[in-house]
Amino acid sequence: MSVARINGGGIGYGGDYNPEQWPRQVWDEDVDLMARAGVTFVTLGVFSWSWIETADGVYEFDWLDDAMDLLHEHGIAVDLATATATPPPWLSHAHPEVLPVDVEGRTRWPGSRQAWCPNSPVFAAKAVRLAGEMARRYADHPALAMWHISNEYACHNLPCYCDRCAAAFRRWLHERYGGLDALNDAWGTAFWSQRYTDLEQVLPPRLTTTIPNPTHVLDYRRFSSDSLLALYRAEAAAVREHSPDIPITTNFMTMRHFDHLDYHRWAQHVDVVSTDHYIVNTWPHPRAELAFSADLVRGIAGGAPWILMEHSTSAVNWQPTNPAKALGQTLRDSLAQVARGADTVGFFQWRQSRAGAEKYHSAMVPHAGPDSARFREVCELGDLLGRLKEIAGSRVAADVAILFDTQARWAAEGPAMPNSALAYLDTPEAVHRALRSRGVTADVVHPGSDLSGYRVLIVPTLYTVQPAHAEAVAAAAAAGAHVLVTFFSGIADPDDHVLLGGYPGAFRELLGVRVEEFFPLLPGETVAVTGPGDAAGTGRSWSEDVTVPRDSLDGPLAGVVATYTDGPLAGRPAITRRELPGGGVAWYLSTLPDDATLRDLLAEVLAGAGVPA
Ligand code: GAL
């Protein structure tokens, strides 16, 4: 489905527009300023429920009609929200059962936003009804260019542990496992006397005395993501009934700290992938994080152009201290996203609010008004993007893929792991950073994607792995790809059951290595390793006892490229390399090296694969 109308035929430019916060005369100034800034679209109505449906089934569309007409008169396309992100007070007052409940059983009360339970039938019915009403009213409006279902699902309301979620979880488990035997087996309930004899005994993983069952927790994450996806799909279906030809999206959140939804599953159900990304300059590698996120969104979009729905012109307001951005940063950040596949650049929000929880969040028109350096920068960006028309719709080409799987992330960050100080993203981000510093573009893709076109595949901490995905990696290597697998990959199956016989079970044969024991490192601790060349380096977070078995392999043995030089593993392999008969190479990296060592290693991997760096 074409998104050309939101892009004005080039690179789209705009942001969230909340006219209900302003008197009518301000709207006229808004559209004039939008023209000055080169805005092509706005997202309208995200938090407008209480202004549209003023009582149960009572609609006041007049103001929204006016806003739609005005925007259309000024040539601005509308990404129209279904307005269901936050229910109005009348709804939670009449139906307090829509409110979400946290892990300790505490209700999350209204007074902020997104205070609804993903499995509340009342909430679902009211939200789907409003989505349908919105579509019925605006399907043929000439300003309408895209539908924006809800907003940032799970930003605040996941997971919910209420009784309705408990019942829905049981239904989800019944569908997944069929019977209790399969459930007990998948969850390993032989451990700690957890065997279920009736599905009714199963609860959400609420606050426990100590370590909860990891597969129970993992399934709850899957279920929670699926619950919201079902709700998204119900709203999308209601919209589609009246408005079949307009593309539908919902804004994902691909920032590093957000991990509630499995966007690779979600992406199958949107017409165009959009995401929100807020750079956090106080994080250790902010530019690299932005680049990783953009390459990940492109992977989620299957390589197609995608929409940067929200970012900020300057400070956010949700950190303890919120530094302003230097002038010029927003230009650079926006263009970095465009270079990595975005063909629309949006902000939260058009005009900075005077009141409410986000009044100190920056916007395209700041409190100071249009006579401000910030607004001049916004105009400059609009002008720049307007001049980049010819790259709209183009695709990024990459020889290198980094595999990324949210389900592996959930499992790897589950309870009681060998090193809880090691975040799943640490390794893929470190690899991506090293590649980026060499000017090498990488796609960040799901392991179930088509891997056949890549010359280099990196498999970082793919802790759980589906057999088909491990086979696809091996098949790519057999066909000539150079594969680099890192520690803590291929350790467990998708139920988080360890693959026995020596780690990493799913990749042992491909790599020609066997690990008997992990030696995770304490925060701040490092271990010395020889580099891939002559240089000495260090490893952090992880080390392990790697051997190269000589007798149990078909084909060539792995060679040792680098060894540990101190600590309990001194003299043991740290990095290995195995040449495969079809020209492929299987590398294994058993620690997280310092940046220089990782760069050197990747230089060798790339050179071997003939990828310029
Ligand atoms: C997003 C949200 C926006 C706004 C923004 C502030 O989470 O979609 O409505 O709150 O963050 O950074």
Side-chain angles (χ1 to χ4, degrees):
M1 227 174 259
S2 165
V3 296
R5 287 174 64 200
I6 196 177
N7 297 348
I11 304 291
Y13 187 46
D16 282 20
Y17 183 40
N18 298 301
E20 66 270 37
Q21 295 177 15
W22 299 96
R24 180 63 180 76
Q25 66 272 20
V26 175
W27 303 9
D28 293 320
E29 191 198 20
D30 283 334
V31 285
D32 288 344
L33 292 177
M34 285 177 193
R36 249 166 78 185
V39 163
T40 67
F41 86 100
V42 295
T43 300
L44 193 62
V46 172
F47 294 106
S48 303
W49 192 341
S50 67
W51 287 86
I52 294 171
E53 189 178 358
T54 51
D56 201 354
V58 178
Y59 301 98
E60 283 185 16
F61 284 118
D62 292 359
W63 70 270
L64 192 54
D65 294 349
D66 283 354
M68 292 286 285
D69 293 348
L70 182 70
L71 289 161
H72 179 60
E73 277 160 31
H74 288 79
I76 291 162
V78 174
D79 166 41
L80 186 57
T82 51
T84 52
T86 293
W90 61 254
L91 201 162
S92 34
H93 180 71
H95 299 281
E97 72 274 18
V98 303
L99 298 172
V101 170
D102 75 6
V103 70
E104 294 185 35
R106 296 174 302 196
T107 298
R108 291 300 181 106
W109 296 98
S112 180
R113 66 175 178 182
Q114 227 178 41
W116 48 270
C117 157
N119 285 294
S120 158
V122 173
F123 177 80
K126 305 283 184 202
V128 169
R129 184 179 68 180
L130 178 58
E133 289 301 323
M134 292 287 285
R136 191 208 306 268
R137 184 147 191 114
Y138 295 109
D140 298 321
H141 196 287
L144 179 68
M146 181 174 295
W147 286 105
H148 183 108
I149 307 287
S150 192
N151 193 65
E152 286 190 343
Y153 279 98
C155 186
H156 314 288
N157 63 347
L158 215 63
C160 170
Y161 297 87
C162 75
D163 290 342
R164 279 164 309 281
C165 283
F169 184 41
R170 289 180 206 114
R171 290 194 292 276
W172 183 92
L173 290 169
H174 182 71
E175 248 174 59
R176 183 176 175 90
Y177 294 108
L180 276 178
D181 287 349
L183 171 82
N184 278 309
D185 185 46
W187 287 13
T189 57
F191 193 79
W192 279 358
S193 184
Q194 292 174 352
R195 181 170 171 234
Y196 295 97
T197 53
D198 187 328
L199 198 55
E200 285 305 307
Q201 297 157 0
V202 177
L203 294 170
R206 292 174 177 154
L207 192 64
T208 44
T209 48
T210 179
I211 306 166
N213 179 310
T215 315
H216 181 185
V217 172
L218 178 60
D219 269 348
Y220 205 70
R221 302 203 71 164
R222 292 173 172 142
F223 154 77
S224 297
S225 177
D226 284 358
S227 296
L228 285 178
L229 179 57
L231 206 48
Y232 161 81
R233 293 183 67 190
E235 277 199 40
V239 165
R240 220 156 240 150
E241 209 182 306
H242 302 286
S243 182
D245 303 322
I246 299 290
I248 295 182
T249 192
T250 185
N251 44 344
F252 296 167
M253 296 169 74
T254 44
M255 303 169 61
R256 86 183 313 266
H257 61 259
F258 184 83
D259 66 348
H260 287 301
L261 303 180
D262 183 353
Y263 288 132
H264 289 97
R265 278 167 75 79
W266 280 66
Q268 299 158 27
H269 303 284
V270 297
D271 293 322
V272 56
V273 166
S274 63
T275 198
D276 299 348
H277 184 271
Y278 289 89
I279 193 162
V280 180
N281 283 336
T282 48
W283 283 351
H285 306 283
R287 309 254 88 67
E289 193 274 335
L290 178 147
F292 181 87
S293 158
D295 290 348
L296 171 62
V297 189
R298 188 174 68 251
I300 292 170
W306 49 275
I307 293 174
L308 176 63
M309 189 63 87
E310 290 180 21
H311 65 152
S312 66
T313 57
S314 186
V316 298
N317 70 326
W318 37 258
Q319 299 178 82
T321 305
N322 297 287
K325 288 182 183 173
L327 283 170
Q329 179 179 341
T330 291
L331 259 63
R332 181 186 56 193
D333 292 348
S334 300
L335 293 181
Q337 305 264 16
V338 170
R340 293 175 189 276
D343 71 357
T344 295
V345 172
F347 288 102
F348 175 82
Q349 60 176 328
W350 165 252
R351 188 182 276 278
Q352 187 168 8
S353 306
R354 290 186 64 206
E358 294 187 315
K359 58 184 177 294
Y360 293 117
H361 192 290
S362 60
M364 297 172 84
V365 182
H367 285 158
D371 182 14
S372 59
R374 202 55 76 184
F375 185 68
R376 283 188 284 279
E377 185 186 34
V378 161
C379 294
E380 193 184 341
L381 177 57
D383 177 54
L384 256 174
L385 296 176
R387 286 189 278 129
L388 287 175
K389 264 195 173 24
E390 75 273 17
I391 63 163
S394 58
R395 287 187 172 232
V396 174
D399 289 321
V400 181
I402 298 173
L403 303 193
F404 178 95
D405 183 0
T406 298
Q407 307 242 349
R409 177 180 187 176
W410 289 339
E413 294 183 353
M417 299 308 262
N419 187 1
S420 54
L422 178 74
Y424 172 80
L425 279 179
D426 289 349
T427 315
E429 281 189 345
V431 168
H432 187 271
R433 207 162 56 236
L435 291 169
R436 180 173 166 268
S437 73
R438 293 197 162 272
V440 176
T441 303
D443 288 343
V444 180
V445 299
H446 187 260
S449 320
D450 177 7
L451 305 179
S452 59
Y454 296 108
R455 286 199 261 176
V456 172
L457 286 183
I458 317 251
V459 185
T461 49
L462 191 67
Y463 165 67
T464 51
V465 64
Q466 295 186 28
H469 296 164
E471 280 159 27
V473 171
H482 290 223
V483 174
L484 171 70
V485 178
T486 81
F487 61 91
F488 216 43
S489 295
I491 303 300
D493 69 13
D495 290 331
D496 194 9
H497 291 205
V498 174
L499 300 163
L500 302 178
Y503 315 119
F507 296 115
R508 209 167 50 215
E509 230 172 273
L510 167 68
L511 300 165
V513 299
R514 182 165 178 269
V515 174
E516 290 193 12
E517 207 174 342
F518 303 137
F519 286 70
L521 301 171
L522 295 169
E525 187 184 1
T526 57
V527 63
V529 291
T530 58
D534 291 333
T538 55
R540 63 181 192 280
S541 298
W542 197 268
S543 63
E544 55 188 20
D545 184 12
V546 180
T547 54
V548 176
R550 301 203 164 256
D551 45 7
S552 60
L553 269 185
D554 279 348
L557 293 182
V560 177
V561 174
T563 51
Y564 293 101
T565 54
D566 67 6
L569 299 172
R572 316 284 294 170
I575 303 174
T576 62
R577 178 179 184 278
R578 180 172 182 238
E579 290 186 10
L580 304 170
V585 174
W587 292 80
Y588 186 58
L589 171 61
S590 68
T591 185
L592 184 53
D594 63 85
D595 288 356
T597 306
L598 187 55
R599 271 201 302 273
D600 289 350
L601 171 63
L602 287 166
E604 285 209 18
V605 174
L606 295 168
V611 176

